PDB file of all heavy atoms in Angstrom:
ATOM      1  N   MET P 501      49.926  34.937 -17.680  1.00 95.00           N
ATOM      2  CA  MET P 501      50.548  36.211 -17.970  1.00 95.00           C
ATOM      3  C   MET P 501      51.622  36.094 -19.074  1.00 95.00           C
ATOM      4  O   MET P 501      51.796  36.997 -19.847  1.00 95.00           O
ATOM      5  CB  MET P 501      51.147  36.710 -16.622  1.00 95.00           C
ATOM      6  CG  MET P 501      51.237  38.202 -16.354  1.00 95.00           C
ATOM      7  SD  MET P 501      49.731  39.029 -16.501  1.00 95.00           S
ATOM      8  CE  MET P 501      50.336  40.569 -17.097  1.00 95.00           C
ATOM      9  N   THR P 502      52.360  34.992 -18.999  1.00 93.00           N
ATOM     10  CA  THR P 502      53.571  34.892 -19.903  1.00 93.00           C
ATOM     11  C   THR P 502      53.349  34.112 -21.206  1.00 93.00           C
ATOM     12  O   THR P 502      54.197  34.101 -22.076  1.00 93.00           O
ATOM     13  CB  THR P 502      54.740  34.272 -19.123  1.00 93.00           C
ATOM     14  OG1 THR P 502      54.257  32.993 -18.631  1.00 93.00           O
ATOM     15  CG2 THR P 502      55.193  35.112 -17.990  1.00 93.00           C
ATOM     16  N   THR P 503      52.217  33.355 -21.237  1.00 91.00           N
ATOM     17  CA  THR P 503      52.074  32.430 -22.358  1.00 91.00           C
ATOM     18  C   THR P 503      51.866  33.169 -23.696  1.00 91.00           C
ATOM     19  O   THR P 503      51.238  34.235 -23.698  1.00 91.00           O
ATOM     20  CB  THR P 503      50.917  31.438 -22.169  1.00 91.00           C
ATOM     21  OG1 THR P 503      50.905  30.515 -23.263  1.00 91.00           O
ATOM     22  CG2 THR P 503      49.590  32.175 -22.130  1.00 91.00           C
ATOM     23  N   VAL P 504      52.370  32.625 -24.721  1.00 88.00           N
ATOM     24  CA  VAL P 504      52.189  33.143 -26.067  1.00 88.00           C
ATOM     25  C   VAL P 504      51.571  32.093 -27.003  1.00 88.00           C
ATOM     26  O   VAL P 504      50.639  32.326 -27.717  1.00 88.00           O
ATOM     27  CB  VAL P 504      53.547  33.567 -26.713  1.00 88.00           C
ATOM     28  CG1 VAL P 504      53.246  34.200 -28.067  1.00 88.00           C
ATOM     29  CG2 VAL P 504      54.309  34.475 -25.793  1.00 88.00           C
ATOM     30  N   SER P 505      52.130  30.863 -26.843  1.00 86.00           N
ATOM     31  CA  SER P 505      51.897  29.848 -27.874  1.00 86.00           C
ATOM     32  C   SER P 505      50.400  29.527 -28.051  1.00 86.00           C
ATOM     33  O   SER P 505      49.912  29.435 -29.132  1.00 86.00           O
ATOM     34  CB  SER P 505      52.724  28.601 -27.575  1.00 86.00           C
ATOM     35  OG  SER P 505      52.357  28.161 -26.316  1.00 86.00           O
ATOM     36  N   ALA P 506      49.693  29.299 -26.931  1.00 85.00           N
ATOM     37  CA  ALA P 506      48.310  28.805 -27.102  1.00 85.00           C
ATOM     38  C   ALA P 506      47.384  29.950 -27.542  1.00 85.00           C
ATOM     39  O   ALA P 506      46.380  29.727 -28.318  1.00 85.00           O
ATOM     40  CB  ALA P 506      47.807  28.239 -25.775  1.00 85.00           C
ATOM     41  N   VAL P 507      47.679  31.183 -27.136  1.00 90.00           N
ATOM     42  CA  VAL P 507      46.729  32.229 -27.400  1.00 90.00           C
ATOM     43  C   VAL P 507      46.992  33.014 -28.658  1.00 90.00           C
ATOM     44  O   VAL P 507      46.167  33.833 -29.023  1.00 90.00           O
ATOM     45  CB  VAL P 507      46.727  33.223 -26.159  1.00 90.00           C
ATOM     46  CG1 VAL P 507      46.190  32.521 -24.905  1.00 90.00           C
ATOM     47  CG2 VAL P 507      48.087  33.796 -25.926  1.00 90.00           C
ATOM     48  N   ILE P 508      48.092  32.775 -29.347  1.00 89.00           N
ATOM     49  CA  ILE P 508      48.520  33.533 -30.466  1.00 89.00           C
ATOM     50  C   ILE P 508      47.485  33.438 -31.590  1.00 89.00           C
ATOM     51  O   ILE P 508      47.295  34.386 -32.320  1.00 89.00           O
ATOM     52  CB  ILE P 508      49.962  33.106 -31.000  1.00 89.00           C
ATOM     53  CG1 ILE P 508      50.421  34.066 -32.036  1.00 89.00           C
ATOM     54  CG2 ILE P 508      49.892  31.723 -31.560  1.00 89.00           C
ATOM     55  CD1 ILE P 508      51.394  35.110 -31.519  1.00 89.00           C
ATOM     56  N   PHE P 509      46.776  32.305 -31.696  1.00 88.00           N
ATOM     57  CA  PHE P 509      45.793  32.173 -32.777  1.00 88.00           C
ATOM     58  C   PHE P 509      44.369  32.629 -32.275  1.00 88.00           C
ATOM     59  O   PHE P 509      43.439  32.660 -33.107  1.00 88.00           O
ATOM     60  CB  PHE P 509      45.671  30.707 -33.184  1.00 88.00           C
ATOM     61  CG  PHE P 509      46.890  30.159 -33.772  1.00 88.00           C
ATOM     62  CD1 PHE P 509      47.443  28.952 -33.337  1.00 88.00           C
ATOM     63  CD2 PHE P 509      47.508  30.813 -34.856  1.00 88.00           C
ATOM     64  CE1 PHE P 509      48.600  28.470 -33.880  1.00 88.00           C
ATOM     65  CE2 PHE P 509      48.665  30.323 -35.387  1.00 88.00           C
ATOM     66  CZ  PHE P 509      49.235  29.128 -34.938  1.00 88.00           C
ATOM     67  N   LEU P 510      44.231  32.913 -31.009  1.00 90.00           N
ATOM     68  CA  LEU P 510      42.910  33.042 -30.428  1.00 90.00           C
ATOM     69  C   LEU P 510      42.435  34.489 -30.087  1.00 90.00           C
ATOM     70  O   LEU P 510      41.296  34.727 -29.882  1.00 90.00           O
ATOM     71  CB  LEU P 510      42.725  32.116 -29.213  1.00 90.00           C
ATOM     72  CG  LEU P 510      42.907  30.640 -29.439  1.00 90.00           C
ATOM     73  CD1 LEU P 510      42.834  29.888 -28.158  1.00 90.00           C
ATOM     74  CD2 LEU P 510      41.875  30.128 -30.416  1.00 90.00           C
ATOM     75  N   TYR P 511      43.443  35.366 -29.959  1.00 89.00           N
ATOM     76  CA  TYR P 511      43.066  36.672 -29.470  1.00 89.00           C
ATOM     77  C   TYR P 511      42.352  37.457 -30.643  1.00 89.00           C
ATOM     78  O   TYR P 511      42.632  37.194 -31.792  1.00 89.00           O
ATOM     79  CB  TYR P 511      44.253  37.494 -28.933  1.00 89.00           C
ATOM     80  CG  TYR P 511      45.266  37.932 -29.966  1.00 89.00           C
ATOM     81  CD1 TYR P 511      45.154  39.160 -30.570  1.00 89.00           C
ATOM     82  CD2 TYR P 511      46.263  37.091 -30.421  1.00 89.00           C
ATOM     83  CE1 TYR P 511      46.123  39.623 -31.480  1.00 89.00           C
ATOM     84  CE2 TYR P 511      47.252  37.467 -31.337  1.00 89.00           C
ATOM     85  CZ  TYR P 511      47.108  38.753 -31.881  1.00 89.00           C
ATOM     86  OH  TYR P 511      47.984  39.171 -32.875  1.00 89.00           O
ATOM     87  N   GLY P 512      41.482  38.371 -30.270  1.00 86.00           N
ATOM     88  CA  GLY P 512      40.774  39.141 -31.234  1.00 86.00           C
ATOM     89  C   GLY P 512      41.202  40.602 -31.133  1.00 86.00           C
ATOM     90  O   GLY P 512      42.088  40.952 -30.333  1.00 86.00           O
TER      91      GLY P 512
END
Side-chain angles (χ1 to χ4, degrees):
Chain P
M501 211 52 215
T502 55
T503 185
V504 184
S505 57
V507 294
I508 189 97
F509 296 129
L510 296 178
Y511 70 95

